[in-house]
Amino acid sequence: MAAPPPSAPGGSAPPPPPPLQYSLLLQHLVGDKRQPRVWDPAVLGGIPCPPKSEEQKMVERVMESCPFKAALACVGGFVLGGAFGIFTAGIDTNVGFDPKDPYRTPTAKEVLKDMGQRGISYAKNFAIVGAMFSCTECVVESYRGKSDWKNSVISGCITGGAIGFRAGLKAGVIGCGGFAAFSAAVDYYLR
């Protein structure tokens, strides 16, 4: 048989616990005493992840390398630039226009030829810009050892400055600032 708990001297019951203070509770939930949770899916009953094979590690290394990123951006820029060039040629009223005979209607072959030339021209330009930006961003990220918005701004400045510098120093500075601002806006929107 269990003995009853000892009572306080004088025969009275122990004092009740102090009331809950919400400010102390809030400090543990959202304040300075809040402890970050460690995210471990295995603890939560997540799907176990088997260790990666050497082939998977090699593919990851190749896909994260600067040459692969630059080649991918070059191909993507070529495709996007070609599509943009064909689109702009399609809405341009001067495609196939002959300045020697302004009243002659261009043939479909002439219009398609001009659309193809503009598409190839835009594709080459977009491919060069994409490869330059991607390559400089990868090099800057490797040098800094961080992956943040500053990499895209620095890369944008380098790429825009290099492209604009062909037209002079002023154009290079404007290109640097414009491309850096555009890169910052895109990075802000995507992150």
Side-chain angles (χ1 to χ4, degrees), residues 22 25 31 54 58 69 85 89 107 112 165:
Y22 289 107
L25 179 65
E54 289 301 318
M58 183 186 71
K69 288 180 180 180
T107 64
L112 289 175
F165 191 67

Side-chain angles (χ1 to χ4, degrees), residues 8-9 32 60 107:
D32 297 336
E60 279 186 0
T107 64

Side-chain angles (χ1 to χ4, degrees), residues 1-6:
M1 199 175 193

Side-chain angles (χ1 to χ4, degrees), residues 44-61:
L44 302 173
I47 300 172
C49 185
K52 294 180 182 177
S53 68
E54 289 301 318
E55 294 167 346
Q56 288 175 323
K57 291 178 183 177
M58 183 186 71
V59 168
E60 279 186 0
R61 282 193 302 269

Side-chain angles (χ1 to χ4, degrees), residues 23-110:
S23 61
L24 292 176
L25 179 65
L26 285 176
Q27 283 182 357
H28 287 281
L29 293 176
V30 293
D32 297 336
K33 296 181 181 178
R34 179 174 177 249
Q35 298 293 323
R37 291 186 181 183
V38 177
W39 175 251
D40 187 11
V43 172
L44 302 173
I47 300 172
C49 185
K52 294 180 182 177
S53 68
E54 289 301 318
E55 294 167 346
Q56 288 175 323
K57 291 178 183 177
M58 183 186 71
V59 168
E60 279 186 0
R61 282 193 302 269
V62 167
M63 291 183 77
E64 291 177 1
S65 68
C66 291
F68 181 81
K69 288 180 180 180
L72 188 64
C74 184
V75 170
F78 188 85
V79 170
L80 184 65
F84 188 69
I86 290 172
F87 173 75
T88 57
I91 61 173
D92 189 5
T93 58
N94 291 329
V95 172
F97 177 73
D98 186 11
K100 296 175 188 170
D101 189 8
Y103 296 109
R104 186 179 70 81
T105 303
T107 64
K109 185 177 180 179
E110 293 171 343

